[in-house]
């Protein structure tokens, strides 16, 4: 679809006033682009092409205030390291570190696997029979349900808080799309009730067009980060593809990443 | 007068069951209670014999109230087929409850079990009150199959079977024909 | 002169009669039914009746914890605590064994399944059992990821126990009122026999039934029994009064 250039180019000044009914992203120019931030209760899907540095944007938003950060790709420590490098203030972030849990589970599973026979050879059969005939299983063994963690955490969060899920890719690799959608939908409903902001990150173009459409349909707002080759250089664009009830906020902005993080350079209004 | 009638019925039934393995008694509703009284008096008198009384028309609770002492004798065991189906949750020790009168196989198993471990020389009797009530809950064909299975089993274990049929409730008289002997009680007199 | 074949009597008279004395020795038999149909009771009765005749047995539970199993056994006439204490009947929680082996994952790899199979064989061998029950094979199959693994597992278990002249019952849970004998539809093909615990409707009430669907190496009829679970006497059978079923079929 060709975007007709009928809008006006705007250079944005910094410092946006705090606006009622919006949650600020903490990136001034982005808040400006969104004219105040993310409307309360909105579910925002952040689609990122590979190389678009979505993870930096997300962390910068996380550094802006009281945020619950569900991380699947990086551990808490890795995230904090990056934040320090950019010299962002590190506020009170509530981390839900699925990444750590997942990798330690995988690791534990692997260790066990190699030692079944070893373990077997160490055990005396008579003792084993004795234990088997008297004991109660110590744990109800079941693998951790990460989707349930997401559901539970998004339910518990207080009013006007920001929740970041980075990223949905992990859940899609572990669970069926239907189940993931259900969880996302439940999180959306909770977020609407809490008048917070729910930011869901997923990689663009890897989960199938249909699923992407479903996610875009479910979201109140869709932000897309793209990398476009221009001659010998790459240009990065952030586009606001969808903004429910705020059609005029649809727009596109070029951005770069510098020492301070995400810098939006220019906004092009489409409407 | 009433006592004489009951005594008369009792003697008649007793005489018939002594020489036959199974006796069917066809009775008008008006005489049903008298017949039961006669049966109970028989059961109480012969304490050396072993009895199993299967009740389909009345709850065990009712029987204990009407035939007070009869329900206490150690030689009489009761199987109640209707309390549970009627939603009554009574629990008496000397009574076995069947969940539903359609559970005929379970009924047979419980009846036969009641006679396990009974002294060899004891006479063994089953009273079914009544086949016509069983037919309210079951198709006549299955009752036929039930009674013929029960009669075959009990014959092989030397158990006598007395089955009662209430005239007014009968929609088939074929079943009673399976018995060795049939007694027909009339409303006003015994023939 | 006909050779008298060796059988393993279940101790449930009507059933043994139907199968010419019992289950052919060393068979692997699937005991199929919905939950509450009496599978576990039947298997326990099989073990305790065997133990009384001097045949040692083992019961592997996967779904029910030990204390619950023994609690349920109390009150049954066939149950005898002494048989457990003397080691004639062994009740083992397979989950604990798996746990000790480090097999506490939801899904087993081929290697995991192999290790489990080995330990089962070793335990059966160590205890020198003539009767083995696995309750339930459905729960175990759930952890085996492919049909091939299920087939392989049951087949290997069955053959190695048959060599020991050990007769095996595997319980298989199916949803109520289905005409499937096993969840994965493989178990039934590998087993030597199937005992199906079902029910028939009679005037709105359900009558429990038992049917010998298949029993290799013995002539049997597929007639249905009415099955009664007596709180004292356990499983009892009586030929099912058939009229109802025929009639209800006609009505449909």
């Amino acid at each position: 679809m060709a975007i007709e250039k009928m809008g006006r180019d705007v250079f944005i000044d910094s410092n946006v006033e705090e606006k009622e009914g919006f949650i600020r992203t903490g990136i001034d120019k982005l808040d400006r682009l969104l004219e105040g931030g993310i409307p309360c209760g909105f579910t925002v899907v952040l689609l990122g092409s590979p190389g678009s540095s979505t993870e930096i944007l997300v962390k910068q938003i996380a550094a802006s205030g009281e945020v619950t950060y569900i991380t699947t790709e990086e551990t808490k420590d890795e995230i904090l390291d990056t934040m320090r490098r950019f010299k962002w203030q590190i506020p009170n972030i509530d981390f839900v570190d699925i990444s750590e849990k997942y990798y330690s589970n995988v690791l534990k599973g692997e260790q066990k696997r190699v030692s079944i026979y070893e373990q077997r050879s160490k055990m005396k059969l008579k003792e084993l029979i004795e234990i088997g005939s008297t004991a109660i299983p110590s744990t109800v063994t079941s693998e951790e349900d990460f989707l349930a963690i997401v559901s539970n955490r998004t339910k518990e969060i207080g009013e006007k808080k920001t929740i970041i899920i980075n990223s949905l890719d992990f859940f899609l690799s572990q669970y069926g799309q239907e189940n993931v959608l259900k969880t996302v939908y439940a999180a959306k409903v909770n977020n609407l009730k809490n008048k917070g902001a729910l930011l869901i990150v997923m990689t663009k173009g890897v989960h199938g067009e249909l699923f992407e459409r479903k996610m875009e349909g479910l979201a109140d707002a869709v932000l897309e980060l793209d990398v476009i080759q221009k001659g010998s250089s790459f240009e990065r664009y952030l586009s606001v593809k969808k903004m429910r009830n705020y059609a005029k906020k649809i727009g596109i902005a070029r951005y770069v990443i510098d020492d301070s993080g995400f810098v939006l350079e220019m906004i092009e209004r489409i409407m | 007068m009433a006592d004489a009638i009951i005594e008369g019925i009792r003697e008649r039934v007793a005489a018939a069951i002594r020489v036959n393995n199974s006796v069917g008694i066809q009775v008008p509703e008006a005489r049903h209670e008298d017949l039961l009284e006669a049966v109970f008096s028989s059961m109480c008198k012969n304490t050396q014999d072993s009895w199993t009384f299967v009740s389909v028309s009345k709850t065990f609770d009712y029987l204990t109230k009407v035939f007070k002492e009869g329900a206490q004798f150690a030689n009489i065991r009761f199987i109640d087929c209707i309390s549970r189906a009627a939603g009554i949750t009574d629990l008496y020790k000397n009574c076995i409850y069947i969940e539903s009168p359609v559970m005929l196989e379970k009924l047979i198993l419980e009846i036969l079990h009641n006679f396990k471990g009974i002294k060899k020389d004891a006479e063994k009797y089953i009273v079914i009150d009544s086949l016509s009530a069983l037919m309210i809950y079951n198709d006549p064909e299955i009752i036929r199959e039930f009674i013929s299975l029960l009669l075959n089993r009990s014959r092989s274990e030397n158990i006598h079977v007395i089955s009662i049929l209430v005239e007014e409730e009968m929609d088939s008289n074929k079943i009673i024909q399976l018995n060795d002997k049939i007694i027909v009680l009339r409303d006003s007199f015994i023939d | 002169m006909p050779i008298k074949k060796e059988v393993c009597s279940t101790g449930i008279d009507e059933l043994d009669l139907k199968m010419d004395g019992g289950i052919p020795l060393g068979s692997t038999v699937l005991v199929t039914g919905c939950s509450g149909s009496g599978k576990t009771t039947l298997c326990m009765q099989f073990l305790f009746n065997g133990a009384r005749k001097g045949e040692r047995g083992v019961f592997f539970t996967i779904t029910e914890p030990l204390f619950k199993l023994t609690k349920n056994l109390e009150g049954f006439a066939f149950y005898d605590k002494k048989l457990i204490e003397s080691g004639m009947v062994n009740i083992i929680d397979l989950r604990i064994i798996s746990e000790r082996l480090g097999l506490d994952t939801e899904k087993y790899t081929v290697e995991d399944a192999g290790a489990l199979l080995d330990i089962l064989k070793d335990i059966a061998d160590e205890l020198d059992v003539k009767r083995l029950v696995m309750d339930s094979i459905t729960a175990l199959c759930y952890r085996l990821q492919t049909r091939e693994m299920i087939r392989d597992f049951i087949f290997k278990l069955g053959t190695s126990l048959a060599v020991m002249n050990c007769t095996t019952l595997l319980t298989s849970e199916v949803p109520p009122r289905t005409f499937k004998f096993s969840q994965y539809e493989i178990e039934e093909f590998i087993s030597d026999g199937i005992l199906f615990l079902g029910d028939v409707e009679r005037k709105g009430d359900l009558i429990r039934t038992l049917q010998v669907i298949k029993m290799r190496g013995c002539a049997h009829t597929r007639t249905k029994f009415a099955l009664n679970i007596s709180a004292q006497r356990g499983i009892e059978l009586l030929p099912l009064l058939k009229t109802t079923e025929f009639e209800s079929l006609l009505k449909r």
Side-chain angles (χ1 to χ4, degrees):
Chain A
M1 191 174 64
I3 299 169
E4 221 176 305
K5 204 174 166 187
M6 48 188 279
R8 58 199 194 282
D9 289 356
V10 188
F11 284 92
I12 328 162
D13 355 294
S14 51
N15 297 328
V16 191
E17 302 269 311
E18 189 116 355
K19 262 173 87 177
E20 185 74 26
F22 291 88
I23 293 173
R24 295 180 56 179
T25 64
I27 302 165
D28 282 337
K29 286 178 184 171
L30 181 58
D31 286 336
R32 185 92 186 173
L33 174 66
L34 298 174
E35 291 179 353
I38 298 167
C40 287
F42 260 44
T43 295
V44 182
V45 168
L46 184 57
L47 279 169
S49 326
S52 63
S53 303
T54 331
E55 72 287 353
I56 296 177
L57 175 64
V58 166
K59 277 190 271 276
Q60 200 166 349
I61 294 173
S64 72
E66 277 185 88
V67 169
T68 296
Y69 195 125
I70 302 174
T71 172
T72 61
E73 251 80 324
E74 300 166 286
T75 65
K76 178 183 169 181
D77 291 337
E78 287 173 298
I79 293 169
L80 289 174
D81 273 352
T82 311
M83 287 180 165
R84 275 185 213 110
R85 188 157 53 80
F86 279 105
K87 300 190 180 67
W88 295 324
Q89 54 164 332
I90 295 165
N92 207 5
I93 300 177
D94 177 17
F95 281 101
V96 180
D97 198 339
I98 287 178
S99 156
E100 176 83 40
K101 279 196 182 107
Y102 178 68
Y103 289 113
S104 73
N105 281 0
V106 169
L107 221 58
K108 233 166 47 190
E110 278 311 308
Q111 276 167 358
K112 265 178 194 149
R113 219 160 283 288
V114 286
S115 59
I116 292 168
Y117 281 100
E118 198 185 317
Q119 209 148 337
R120 168 78 175 84
S121 62
K122 278 187 288 188
M123 273 186 294
K124 291 208 177 70
L125 202 54
K126 280 213 172 86
E127 278 171 27
L128 197 60
I129 292 170
E130 175 71 28
I131 296 165
S133 325
T134 47
I136 301 167
S138 58
T139 47
V140 182
T141 53
S142 70
E143 244 140 59
E144 218 153 352
D145 185 348
F146 296 117
L147 276 183
I149 295 178
V150 172
S151 304
N152 291 336
R153 290 310 293 261
T154 51
K155 217 181 295 171
E156 290 161 1
I157 282 163
E159 275 199 8
K160 299 207 171 166
K161 296 275 160 51
T162 303
I163 307 163
I164 294 171
I165 301 176
N166 185 20
S167 73
L168 211 59
D169 301 347
F170 169 80
F171 298 102
L172 288 165
S173 73
Q174 299 286 314
Y175 304 93
Q177 292 188 344
E178 280 306 308
N179 287 330
V180 173
L181 273 176
K182 272 184 211 157
T183 304
V184 169
Y185 191 76
K188 172 189 154 130
V189 170
N190 283 320
N191 178 57
L192 193 65
K193 205 173 66 200
N194 294 333
K195 297 190 184 63
L198 173 63
L199 191 64
I200 302 170
V201 180
M202 65 185 261
T203 304
K204 193 181 154 188
V206 294
H207 301 300
E209 206 180 327
L210 187 64
F211 183 78
E212 236 170 69
R213 288 245 189 85
K214 280 183 185 169
M215 281 301 292
E216 285 176 16
L218 191 149
D220 299 300
V222 179
L223 304 183
E224 208 172 291
L225 299 188
D226 263 316
V227 185
I228 293 162
Q229 190 170 10
K230 275 208 174 155
S232 60
S233 68
F234 289 96
E235 284 194 354
R236 290 162 160 153
Y237 289 95
L238 180 154
S239 46
V240 182
K241 262 179 91 179
K242 172 180 174 180
M243 204 72 182
R244 201 166 53 80
N245 295 336
Y246 298 90
K248 75 178 173 67
K249 293 186 185 177
I250 304 246
I252 193 164
R254 208 170 61 218
Y255 67 91
V256 291
I257 313 280
D258 69 9
D259 291 348
S260 68
F262 219 76
V263 181
L264 284 184
E265 288 184 329
M266 188 182 74
I267 296 179
E268 206 171 275
R269 289 276 178 223
I270 311 256
M271 304 287 280
Chain B
M1 176 60 187
D3 285 354
I5 290 176
I6 289 160
E7 189 54 24
I9 299 173
R10 195 190 68 76
E11 273 171 17
R12 202 153 163 229
V13 173
I17 199 67
R18 244 194 312 274
V19 291
N20 295 291
N21 244 308
S22 56
V23 173
I25 308 171
Q26 185 181 322
V27 65
E29 185 54 50
R31 283 269 168 266
H32 190 184
E33 202 95 338
D34 288 343
L35 173 61
L36 287 185
E37 215 175 320
V39 169
F40 267 78
S41 104
S42 255
M43 295 195 294
C44 298
K45 270 194 184 133
N46 303 301
T47 49
Q48 73 287 356
D49 298 340
S50 178
W51 296 79
T52 292
F53 188 95
V54 179
S55 180
V56 191
S57 52
K58 302 189 168 56
T59 65
F60 177 65
D61 186 57
Y62 174 85
L63 293 175
T64 55
K65 280 173 185 139
V66 178
F67 307 101
K68 288 182 186 73
E69 50 161 31
Q72 306 298 326
F73 278 86
N75 65 321
I76 313 171
R77 296 191 187 163
F78 289 90
I79 299 179
D80 178 334
C81 297
I82 58 160
S83 282
R84 291 290 180 265
I88 300 163
T89 52
D90 290 340
L91 197 68
Y92 287 93
K93 257 194 195 147
N94 51 342
C95 179
I96 293 158
Y97 293 91
I98 305 273
E99 293 90 323
S100 155
V102 305
M103 301 194 163
L104 301 168
E105 294 89 348
K106 180 168 184 176
L107 179 58
I108 294 179
L109 287 166
E110 292 293 351
I111 292 172
L112 296 176
H113 176 76
N114 263 353
F115 292 105
K116 293 235 166 85
I118 299 288
K119 275 182 290 174
K120 274 238 167 77
D121 52 344
E123 289 289 335
K124 292 171 275 191
Y125 299 97
I126 299 166
V127 183
I128 300 179
D129 176 40
S130 62
L131 281 185
S132 40
L134 272 181
M135 272 154 62
I136 296 171
Y137 303 98
N138 292 282
D139 298 329
E141 290 85 353
I142 203 165
I143 296 301
R144 245 179 102 75
E145 212 180 327
F146 162 78
I147 197 77
S148 86
L149 181 61
L150 179 67
L151 292 184
N152 284 328
R153 288 278 176 126
S154 47
R155 205 167 284 141
S156 74
E157 306 201 12
N158 225 355
I159 305 169
H160 302 274
V161 182
I162 301 168
S163 33
I164 299 171
L165 268 130
V166 178
E167 250 168 40
E168 288 86 338
E169 291 171 354
M170 286 168 56
D171 60 352
S172 160
N173 61 357
K174 274 187 207 153
I175 284 154
I176 201 167
Q177 307 297 339
L178 291 167
N179 287 296
D180 303 335
K181 163 88 182 165
I182 300 159
I183 300 173
V184 180
L185 298 180
R186 295 273 183 247
D187 200 359
S188 49
F189 61 94
I190 302 163
D191 77 349
Chain C
M1 221 175 96
I3 305 156
K4 193 165 171 10
K5 72 179 162 76
E6 286 187 284
V7 292
C8 178
S9 89
T10 64
I12 300 166
D13 296 340
E14 294 266 0
L15 186 57
D16 287 339
L17 214 61
K18 196 101 256 167
M19 297 185 296
D20 250 352
I23 299 168
L25 205 66
S27 299
T28 302
V29 176
L30 209 59
V31 181
T32 294
C34 65
S35 95
S37 58
K39 299 185 294 289
T40 304
T41 310
L42 182 113
C43 291
M44 282 293 189
Q45 217 163 331
F46 165 79
L47 284 186
F48 279 91
N49 286 335
R52 273 201 185 80
K53 299 194 330 183
E55 293 177 17
R56 206 185 294 270
V58 61
F59 186 103
F60 287 108
T61 173
I62 303 174
T63 40
E64 294 262 351
L66 295 169
F67 70 91
K68 225 168 155 185
L69 274 173
T70 41
K71 181 95 199 130
N72 291 342
L73 282 174
E74 286 167 12
F76 283 125
F78 64 79
Y79 174 68
D80 185 353
K81 209 173 169 196
K82 287 197 195 86
L83 290 174
I84 290 188
E85 286 161 356
S86 65
M88 286 307 286
V89 175
N90 299 272
I91 306 178
I92 295 177
D93 194 326
L94 195 60
R95 287 169 299 183
I96 295 169
I97 305 278
S98 319
E99 227 169 67
R100 294 295 154 131
L101 281 175
L103 286 172
D104 53 1
T105 43
E106 287 257 309
K107 298 283 173 203
Y108 290 166
T109 60
V110 175
E111 199 195 26
D112 292 346
L116 188 66
L117 196 62
D118 281 348
I119 197 92
L120 287 174
K121 279 191 286 192
D122 289 349
I123 291 174
D125 200 34
E126 169 76 24
L127 294 172
D128 190 26
V129 292
K130 290 289 163 246
R131 296 174 184 226
L132 184 143
V133 174
M134 177 76 68
D135 186 22
S136 68
I137 193 72
T138 317
L140 195 64
C141 286
Y142 167 75
R143 285 156 197 260
L144 303 172
Q145 303 182 50
T146 62
R147 295 167 70 86
E148 288 68 30
M149 279 175 79
I150 296 173
R151 178 194 299 274
D152 204 47
F153 190 89
I154 300 177
F155 181 74
K156 282 184 179 155
L157 180 69
T159 44
S160 44
L161 291 169
V163 171
M164 295 164 55
N165 267 337
C166 176
T167 308
T168 306
L169 299 189
L170 310 171
T171 71
S172 156
E173 181 139 348
V174 290
R177 322 235 78 197
T178 45
F179 293 97
K180 235 166 72 168
F181 302 124
S182 56
Q183 189 73 44
Y184 301 90
E185 289 174 344
I186 309 161
E187 305 95 298
E188 59 194 78
F189 295 112
I190 312 164
S191 58
D192 301 309
I194 300 172
L195 299 179
F196 183 64
L197 309 187
D199 45 45
V200 292
E201 199 188 310
R202 181 183 294 165
K203 304 269 174 195
D205 276 310
L206 292 179
I207 312 282
R208 295 172 196 272
T209 59
L210 181 145
Q211 201 176 2
V212 182
I213 300 287
K214 132 177 172 189
M215 197 56 70
R216 273 183 203 141
C218 95
H220 66 92
T221 50
R222 287 175 57 137
T223 43
K224 272 186 187 158
F225 288 103
L227 178 148
N228 181 40
I229 307 176
S230 156
Q232 296 86 40
R233 308 182 298 276
I235 302 273
E236 293 176 313
L237 301 174
L238 198 79
L240 183 73
L241 302 174
K242 293 170 282 295
T243 329
T244 31
E245 216 191 346
F246 178 64
E247 289 223 327
S248 61
L249 278 176
L250 279 183
K251 274 174 201 156
R252 270 175 220 164

